[in-house]
Amino acid sequence: TFIESVGMRFLKQGKKVAVIAVDPSSHLSGGSILGDKTRMDGLSMAKDAYIRPCATGGHLGGLAQHTDDVVSLMEAAGYDVVIIETVGVGQSEILVTEVADFCILLLPPAGGDELQGIKRGIVETADLVVINKADGNLLNVAKRAQAEYRMALMVARGAGGPRQWWTTQVVTASAREETGLEDVLQITKQFWENASAQGELARRRGEQRARWMWRKAEEDIVRFLRNDPKVKTLALDLQQALAQGEMTSRSAAEKLVDVFREQHD
């Protein structure tokens, strides 16, 4: 609901909007529901909007394996705004910061635990924290959560924040009552202007591309390792030894790598 409300506002500004909605995959079947699009009726029917559901495929960090490529494709297709909806992530799952220019942490009113906010991770790296569903009986709870997260961020920034030129704000909003959304858009615009003026946007994107380069290289190396015939044969013997407790996982891994390297040195 929040994403659709923000997306519709971007459309009214004359911008083309793409949404990449990432859903978790089942660890048992590997399947994914991919039902987020059904909850965005307005964006689904808008001619200048596109919604792309993606499954994580078991990848951690809140994103799908090739989310960065999908973002690049959306930009090349002429979309002005690309919104990435990650799966529900924890404190350490901050992969979205390696593909997005601006990261919004959307929290429910009851999630305003100050101690959770102080933890290093996604709270600290967020460019904006939004306490959603700030309406009705939850309004006072949302305002209390807002105050707690502001205090938590002050502690984090006091220890040395990653962006000295930008102060992460904590705001309340209600997608149902359409309140606080203009503040979100205004802060987003302000961040974009400041980041561009500071050269931060170009620097951030360069670092993101470098990280994804290494990540994709690591994935390819692991795939080559798993598909190597000699490695696969040795792996069967090592799995039996591991099952009987005859060696450690580290030792087994070293043997696999040694066999692989011998063939490619």
Side-chain angles (χ1 to χ4, degrees):
T1 305
F2 177 85
I3 290 177
E4 177 168 69
S5 298
V6 171
M8 295 301 292
R9 276 170 163 73
F10 278 124
L11 289 177
K12 290 179 180 178
Q13 295 177 2
K15 300 182 183 298
K16 296 183 64 178
V17 178
V19 178
I20 303 172
V22 183
D23 262 4
S25 299
S26 169
H27 291 290
L28 298 178
S29 66
S32 183
I33 297 176
L34 301 178
D36 288 331
K37 186 174 182 178
T38 62
R39 295 185 293 158
M40 305 180 196
D41 296 336
L43 285 178
S44 298
M45 295 184 291
K47 67 180 182 67
D48 287 331
Y50 175 73
I51 303 174
R52 169 64 180 176
C54 297
T56 61
H59 290 267
L60 301 178
L63 298 181
Q65 182 179 11
H66 302 296
T67 301
D68 63 317
D69 292 330
V70 178
V71 171
S72 298
L73 183 60
M74 295 299 100
E75 289 182 329
Y79 288 95
D80 305 297
V81 178
V82 180
I83 302 174
I84 306 170
E85 180 191 12
T86 70
V87 301
V89 296
Q91 286 289 339
S92 61
E93 295 173 303
I94 56 175
L95 191 56
V96 68
T97 63
E98 297 184 9
V99 70
D101 296 327
F102 184 70
C103 294
I104 299 176
L105 177 60
L106 193 65
L107 297 170
D113 184 347
E114 181 183 349
L115 295 179
Q116 290 293 323
I118 293 175
K119 286 183 179 180
R120 303 297 184 190
I122 193 169
V123 173
E124 186 184 22
T125 57
D127 300 305
L128 172 64
V129 177
V130 178
I131 310 298
N132 194 26
K133 302 180 181 178
D135 51 52
N137 296 332
L138 292 176
L139 181 58
N140 290 333
V141 180
K143 290 185 178 297
R144 185 168 65 249
Q146 179 185 28
E148 290 177 346
Y149 270 97
R150 278 176 175 169
M151 185 177 298
L153 283 168
M154 286 178 61
V155 173
R157 296 300 178 219
R163 296 172 299 277
Q164 299 298 333
W165 54 272
W166 176 256
T167 300
T168 299
Q169 299 183 50
V170 183
V171 300
T172 59
S174 171
R176 186 178 66 178
E177 296 189 355
E178 300 283 323
T179 58
L181 300 179
E182 289 299 330
D183 292 338
V184 173
L185 265 63
Q186 183 58 38
I187 294 172
T188 302
K189 179 181 178 182
Q190 181 183 357
F191 178 91
W192 182 273
E193 293 174 349
N194 290 0
S196 299
Q198 294 285 336
E200 174 69 14
L201 204 57
R203 184 196 65 79
R204 176 181 285 200
R205 288 194 171 193
E207 290 183 352
Q208 289 172 344
R209 295 188 189 103
R211 292 193 186 101
W212 280 96
M213 172 189 71
W214 282 109
R215 184 170 288 106
K216 292 179 184 299
E218 291 167 359
E219 291 173 353
D220 288 342
I221 291 172
V222 171
R223 186 174 68 254
F224 292 145
L225 179 69
R226 285 181 174 273
N227 292 333
D228 185 276
K230 290 188 176 181
V231 171
K232 292 170 70 174
T233 301
L234 176 61
L236 294 176
D237 296 333
L238 293 176
Q239 287 172 11
Q240 293 181 1
L242 289 168
Q244 297 173 7
E246 297 176 354
M247 65 190 314
T248 65
S249 299
R250 180 180 293 276
S251 298
E254 290 176 351
K255 290 183 179 296
L256 289 179
V257 173
D258 288 342
V259 169
F260 184 75
R261 290 179 61 186
E262 287 174 0
Q263 300 179 78
H264 298 86
D265 281 344

